Amino acid sequence: MNDKYIFLITEELRLDPLVGYHAIELVQRFMVNHLSDLLTASEPQGATAAESTNLEEATFDMLKDKFPLIIFSCVQLASKLFLHHHIIDSGTAVRFLHSVGLTVSKQTILESELMVFKGLEFKLNVLNPLTYVEILLEVLGHNEPSIPVERLYRLCHPVLQFITLQRTAIYNSLLKVATQCVNPSQKQREKFVTVTEDCMLLGVGVIAVATFIHFVRKWEQVVGELSHITGITRKSISDFAQVTLAHIVSTNFPAVEARLLPTQL
């Protein structure tokens, strides 16, 4: 749900889509660091398993009220990285947060932004999936001018947003296709984590899906070019696109997985 809120914020404030995807990356990185710091600082030495569980629950409860402001702070920080686009100033921030029911002052917003900035160890320049898509399309257009990359780019936006919002379902299906197993083992799931974090695979998958939808007669050519550019196999690109397309056209996700295992595009 966090991603959905970020997309809604960027749309409401008319921010560049890059800001939203960058903010998603910042939220994920910040929360990993912040939760780790909180739990490490709070947990007494020699704590029992029950005590550790209670501590984790208390920590999550404490963050619930702060989380909407943390999300907004990540969007605000992301907006400042793209100086050629609209930046969220403190006045805009206060008005927007008030409009969604959060009564906060400019000082509170500034403190939250600083807390997130420190939690990220002042490292904001992380690559986001949309950046990968843009770079790949630029190379694709340079290598093969006949491919309509500008039209593909416009379609890549809703495709990437769909994958982001349905990330868990799509990657669960992809895991089952990759392992050819309806119930993958814990070891298989652990090994698959690297796939879920591979922005290059996500980028080529988005472009492949957009090509299949908009320009299917160029499908084979585009997949081949993407494979050549990135070194990712045609099968991996096709599997990713197949899973995503199946989820796009279906509202019954369990049925999707059953159909995917024996088939290919």
Side-chain angles (χ1 to χ4, degrees), residues 30-134:
F30 171 76
M31 291 307 298
V32 169
N33 293 341
H34 191 53
L35 283 170
S36 178
D37 290 343
L38 288 175
L39 292 172
T40 300
S42 303
E43 184 169 359
Q45 291 186 350
T48 65
E51 289 172 337
S52 296
T53 300
N54 290 336
L55 175 62
E56 290 177 3
E57 292 176 353
T59 301
F60 282 114
D61 287 340
M62 180 183 68
L63 281 174
K64 282 181 181 178
D65 293 337
K66 294 182 179 180
F67 198 53
L69 187 53
I70 288 173
I71 290 176
F72 186 85
S73 294
C74 288
V75 175
Q76 193 169 16
L77 284 170
S79 76
K80 294 180 179 180
L81 293 176
F82 303 94
L83 299 179
H84 55 293
H85 295 296
H86 175 59
I87 295 175
I88 306 173
D89 58 36
S90 57
T92 301
V94 168
R95 289 191 296 273
F96 175 80
L97 291 171
H98 282 190
S99 73
V100 296
L102 293 177
T103 304
V104 293
S105 65
K106 291 183 179 181
Q107 182 64 30
T108 301
I109 293 172
L110 179 61
E111 290 172 355
S112 175
E113 188 178 10
L114 184 58
M115 177 190 71
V116 172
F117 195 27
K118 288 181 178 178
L120 291 166
E121 299 176 341
F122 308 101
K123 297 175 183 177
L124 301 181
N125 289 315
V126 296
L127 289 176
N128 65 71
L130 184 55
T131 300
Y132 277 85
V133 170
E134 292 181 342

Side-chain angles (χ1 to χ4, degrees), residues 201 204 223 227 230-238:
L201 174 61
V204 296
V223 170
S227 178
T230 63
I232 298 172
T233 66
R234 288 171 177 260
K235 184 179 185 306
S236 294
I237 298 172
S238 296

Side-chain angles (χ1 to χ4, degrees), residues 136-144 147 149 207 222 225 229:
L136 287 168
L137 282 173
E138 185 174 347
V139 177
L140 185 64
H142 179 269
N143 290 356
E144 185 47 72
I147 296 174
V149 293
I207 296 170
V222 169
E225 287 288 343
I229 292 168

Side-chain angles (χ1 to χ4, degrees), residues 11-24:
E11 182 178 347
E12 181 68 23
L13 296 178
R14 299 180 181 179
L15 302 173
D16 188 276
L18 275 170
V19 173
Y21 288 104
H22 208 86
I24 289 171

